Amino acid sequence: MAMQLTRFTDLGLRTMMLLAAGDAADRRITTRSIAVGAGASENHIAKAVARLAELGMVNARRGRVGGLSLTEEGRTVSLGWLVRRLEGDAEVIDCDGGSPCPLIAGCRLRRVLAEAKEAFYRELDNHTLQDLTGSGLLPVVTIPLERITE
């Protein structure tokens, strides 16, 4: 069995990485440009951006000169904290799905998988967005950024 993040979390992390990699000094990063860079629909990115803004990770300005930017918290947040908030607290395995499992009374699998999930998050707690985007060793996807015209 493989631990797999939801598409929502994946898009949230990609959004954060693209914002961190973009230089917003004279350009604006929009939901549309992130969608193109992440290969996703603008609607899905908008939902991820809304959640990231709610968590205090990004600032979103509307209007002709609007755009997205990371907050200071967004630059320094641990990946574990962020993934926990994007994923929610779902269990790795659904023991009650559909029909109850006949092994549930004596089964230790649920506990072992919950411990494995926490170990996964603890490892992510050791890393920040800067760890993913700050080294310059990996090529960053170029996203079409719109020039701000005043």
Side-chain angles (χ1 to χ4, degrees):
M1 183 181 135
M3 174 78 184
Q4 187 168 357
L5 299 176
T6 63
R7 178 74 171 147
F8 181 78
T9 299
D10 175 36
L11 292 176
L13 292 172
R14 288 174 192 248
T15 296
M16 295 286 288
M17 291 173 66
L18 288 168
L19 287 172
D23 173 22
D26 66 339
R27 298 175 291 179
R28 62 186 178 137
I29 301 175
T30 63
T31 302
R32 176 176 289 132
S33 62
I34 290 175
V36 170
S41 79
E42 195 172 338
N43 185 45
H44 286 116
I45 295 297
K47 289 177 184 176
V49 165
R51 179 67 175 135
L52 292 170
E54 180 182 291
L55 292 170
M57 301 293 103
V58 301
N59 286 321
R61 274 190 9 216
R62 294 185 183 270
R64 194 174 64 82
V65 293
L68 305 169
S69 62
L70 289 175
T71 63
E72 189 55 39
E73 294 83 2
R75 293 179 198 288
T76 59
V77 67
S78 84
L79 294 178
W81 184 92
L82 183 57
V83 170
R84 281 180 185 93
R85 292 335 176 269
L86 294 174
E87 280 291 301
D89 197 26
E91 295 201 31
V92 176
I93 192 169
D94 181 12
C95 296
D96 304 321
S99 59
C101 176
L103 304 175
I104 201 163
C107 183
R108 295 184 185 111
L109 179 61
R110 190 179 206 167
R111 181 182 52 80
V112 169
L113 291 175
E115 290 171 2
K117 179 177 82 169
E118 281 310 308
F120 173 75
Y121 286 141
R122 276 193 307 275
E123 178 58 30
L124 289 176
D125 285 336
N126 295 321
H127 303 282
T128 66
L129 187 61
Q130 180 68 30
D131 295 335
L132 301 179
T133 60
S135 71
L137 297 176
L138 296 174
V140 176
V141 174
T142 304
I143 59 176
L145 301 174
E146 300 163 30
R147 293 266 176 221
I148 295 178
T149 54
E150 298 185 67

